């Protein structure tokens, strides 16, 4: 992904336009919580608006400009116009620049990318849209790597009982889609079938699109080794393993905190769009500090503030971890069946706030081309509350629905 997203193809023109749209459909029963005034919890409503349990939208809609200014300089800019966490800022719709960088390939062994960059991290956070196998990302990626951004200048206060900040949804700046402003050195080295890749970045922890250009530092790195069976591009046949690390010092209420994320992943892919072609993915990650717990409900009379606000646990003693297993098999050249299990353990250090998310997902895809397909999935979801008694959390857990999601991915 460093190569595919960091530089333009060698034969790309000076100016090229491309894009994709993702019309999507979601359906779940929308069970009401029996304890809290019969409200529907957010986990049973469709993000980012959390107003309906069954709806349709354009999840992503992106226009991209990329090309080569010369054989050493390439650029890539992308605007996001879909209905998702990136464009949902301060409770309203705000399209924005999601990619914007130049890459300079003058130094052997160290290509330099500068601008708004997808930071080195987990394979699941770096992969391009065409390689998604499910409409809904894993809970682990969604909560640990795609946490909302906050305005560091707002005077939020710590809830002393929870030892967490309570942040109203109307004040969040959306997610940054794994991108940060900064500069990165990266390259890849082939030796026969073997390929070694590295990427190391220094940047700023903040979201440019929402206007929060923080001065807090971000450091990120990834090392990867692959054995290539053949092919090229996002669907080449290979087996690869990677290790990665991110550290940031986000600020809130005039206080600087420590956020760490790290993990390992393994991927095997062979025979894409061939009968019996197959893939397997494994990811494990862990985080310390700056752990977000999304609000359980929208604001309603009688609901306590901790239930209707995001709870942000900033201290480094707060932890979370998770893993994901995913497999896929092409039954024909065009039809692929997929299965995924993902596990996310949030705040195991705090028994009263610990929540464990488990999801089995089964999916089916029809590939027209490598960049255009239809995919559908059904998600069997459970939310465990280990610490008892906890009647409020148990009532939310009991209301958790399964979900169906379907999407057309159309590139142009």
């Amino acid at each position: 992904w460093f190569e595919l997203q960091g530089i333009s193809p060698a034969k790309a023109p000076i100016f090229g336009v491309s894009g994709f749209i993702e019309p999507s459909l979601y359906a779940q029963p929308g069970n009401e919580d029996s304890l809290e005034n019969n409200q529907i919890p957010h986990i049973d409503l469709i993000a980012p608006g959390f107003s309906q349990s069954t709806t349709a939208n354009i999840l992503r809609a992106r226009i991209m400009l990329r090309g080569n200014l010369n054989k050493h300089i390439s650029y890539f800019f992308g605007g996001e116009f879909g209905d998702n966490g990136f464009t949902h800022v301060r409770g309203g719709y705000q399209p924005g620049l999601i990619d914007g960088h130049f890459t300079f390939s003058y130094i052997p062994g160290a290509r330099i990318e500068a601008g708004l960059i997808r930071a080195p991290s987990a394979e699941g956070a770096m992969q391009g849209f065409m390689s998604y196998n499910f409409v809904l990302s894993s809970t682990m990626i969604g909560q640990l790597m795609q946490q909302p951004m906050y305005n560091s200048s707002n005077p939020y206060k710590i809830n002393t009982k929870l030892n967490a900040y309570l942040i109203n949804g109307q004040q969040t700046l959306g997610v940054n889609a794994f991108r940060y402003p900064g500069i990165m050195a990266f390259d890849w080295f082939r030796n026969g079938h073997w390929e070694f890749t590295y990427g190391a970045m220094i940047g700023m922890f903040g979201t440019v699109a929402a206007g929060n250009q923080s001065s807090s530092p971000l450091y990120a790195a990834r090392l990867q080794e692959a054995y290539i069976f053949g092919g090229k591009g996002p669907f080449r046949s290979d087996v690869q393993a990677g290790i990665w690390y991110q550290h940031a010092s986000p600020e809130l209420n005039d206080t600087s905190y420590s956020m760490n994320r790290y993990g390992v992943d393994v991927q095997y892919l062979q025979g894409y769009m061939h009968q019996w072609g197959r893939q397997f993915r494994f990811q494990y990650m862990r985080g310390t500090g700056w752990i977000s717990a999304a609000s359980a409900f929208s604001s309603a009379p009688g609901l306590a503030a901790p239930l209707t606000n995001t709870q942000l646990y900033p201290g480094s003693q707060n932890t979370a971890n998770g893993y994901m297993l995913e497999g896929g098999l092409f039954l024909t050249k065009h039809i692929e069946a997929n299965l995924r299990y993902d596990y996310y353990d949030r705040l195991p250090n705090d028994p009263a706030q610990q929540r464990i998310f488990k999801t089995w997902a089964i999916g089916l895809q029809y590939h027209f081309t490598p960049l255009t397909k239809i995919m559908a999935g059904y998600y069997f979801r459970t939310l465990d509350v280990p610490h008892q008694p906890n009647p409020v959390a148990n009532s939310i857990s009991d209301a958790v629905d399964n979900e169906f999601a379907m999407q057309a991915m159309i590139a142009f």
Side-chain angles (χ1 to χ4, degrees):
W1 296 113
F2 288 112
E3 176 184 357
L4 294 174
Q5 299 183 35
I7 64 171
S8 300
K11 295 183 179 180
I14 294 178
F15 181 81
V17 181
S18 61
F20 62 92
I21 59 172
E22 295 177 353
S24 306
L25 172 69
Y26 311 88
Q28 52 181 318
N31 293 336
E32 294 181 347
D33 180 279
S34 60
L35 187 64
E36 300 297 336
N37 301 324
N38 293 321
Q39 297 293 314
I40 301 177
H42 277 182
I43 198 170
D44 292 342
L45 297 171
I46 307 303
F50 298 111
S51 61
Q52 297 175 299
S53 57
T54 298
T55 190
N57 71 357
I58 304 295
L59 179 60
R60 298 180 186 91
R62 200 165 302 171
I63 299 292
M64 300 175 288
L65 308 177
R66 71 184 309 173
N68 295 314
L69 301 182
N70 58 40
K71 66 178 182 179
H72 298 294
I73 303 176
S74 63
Y75 69 90
F76 180 36
F77 289 83
E80 175 58 53
F81 300 89
D83 183 16
N84 54 58
F86 178 80
T87 60
H88 199 75
V89 178
R90 299 184 181 93
Y93 173 70
Q94 181 181 309
L97 182 72
I98 195 169
D99 288 292
H101 57 77
F102 289 88
T103 302
F104 305 89
S105 302
Y106 287 101
I107 305 172
R111 303 171 190 268
I112 304 300
E113 184 176 344
L116 187 55
I117 302 169
R118 191 187 293 249
S121 65
E123 192 271 340
M126 295 190 67
Q127 62 187 163
F129 73 96
M130 72 290 293
S131 63
Y132 294 170
N133 294 316
F134 290 92
V135 180
L136 305 181
S137 62
S138 68
T139 307
M140 171 188 70
I141 290 287
Q143 292 202 28
L144 197 54
M145 299 302 298
Q146 190 76 302
Q147 67 268 26
M149 307 299 287
Y150 311 106
N151 192 333
S152 59
S153 62
N154 278 15
Y156 302 113
K157 293 184 179 180
I158 285 278
N159 181 296
T160 54
K161 182 178 180 180
L162 298 173
N163 201 24
Y165 289 104
L166 298 184
I167 302 175
N168 187 280
Q170 300 297 315
Q171 298 172 328
T172 61
L173 303 180
V175 301
N176 68 345
F178 317 113
R179 276 86 163 173
Y180 299 91
I183 185 169
M184 177 171 67
F186 72 99
D187 215 335
W188 60 95
F189 309 90
R190 287 288 297 268
N191 181 15
H193 289 281
W194 293 96
E195 179 185 78
F196 172 74
T197 306
Y198 81 91
M201 175 182 175
I202 299 175
M204 294 184 295
F205 184 85
T207 169
V208 173
N212 185 34
Q213 300 182 51
S214 170
S215 60
S216 303
L218 168 84
Y219 307 99
R222 178 180 171 89
L223 303 176
Q224 180 177 297
E225 185 73 23
Y227 184 87
I228 302 170
F229 302 111
K232 60 181 180 179
F235 303 111
R236 74 182 186 188
S237 295
D238 67 5
V239 58
Q240 64 182 37
I243 184 171
W244 59 274
Y245 174 76
Q246 288 186 355
H247 170 77
S249 300
E251 297 178 359
L252 209 61
N253 202 26
D254 296 323
T255 303
S256 179
Y257 295 95
S258 177
M259 184 189 84
N260 295 288
R261 304 287 188 266
Y262 50 92
V264 297
D265 46 64
V266 177
Q267 175 179 285
Y268 164 71
L269 174 63
Q270 191 167 21
Y272 175 77
M273 285 195 73
H274 289 79
Q275 189 177 28
W276 311 127
R278 52 213 173 269
Q279 61 175 302
F280 170 79
R281 292 173 177 169
F282 167 77
Q283 298 181 65
Y284 170 82
M285 64 182 65
R286 181 177 173 83
T288 63
W290 209 257
I291 306 298
S292 291
S295 58
F297 299 95
S298 299
S299 295
L303 293 182
L307 293 175
T308 60
N309 289 270
T310 292
Q311 300 174 21
L312 175 63
Y313 296 81
S316 58
Q317 76 277 12
N318 296 302
T319 66
N321 65 85
Y323 64 89
M324 183 202 76
L325 295 162
E326 181 180 307
L329 180 68
F330 275 90
L331 306 179
T332 71
K333 177 182 177 180
H334 298 285
I335 299 174
E336 181 183 8
N338 301 94
L339 178 68
R340 184 181 74 191
Y341 176 74
D342 104 75
Y343 173 97
Y344 178 58
D345 186 357
R346 190 179 70 198
L347 296 170
N349 60 286
D350 186 344
Q353 302 303 323
Q354 184 182 17
R355 304 291 184 267
I356 299 176
F357 300 80
K358 303 174 185 177
T359 305
W360 281 98
I362 55 174
L364 198 65
Q365 302 183 72
Y366 189 92
H367 300 256
F368 296 94
T369 73
L371 299 180
T372 299
K373 64 181 179 180
I374 295 175
M375 54 183 176
Y378 193 81
Y379 304 81
F380 301 87
R381 306 183 302 169
T382 59
L383 171 58
D384 294 340
V385 184
H387 183 70
Q388 296 296 333
N390 196 332
V392 174
N394 287 339
S395 66
I396 297 173
S397 174
D398 292 341
V400 170
D401 295 335
N402 297 331
E403 183 173 358
F404 171 80
M406 186 174 183
Q407 180 181 93
M409 188 175 292
I410 306 167
F412 57 90

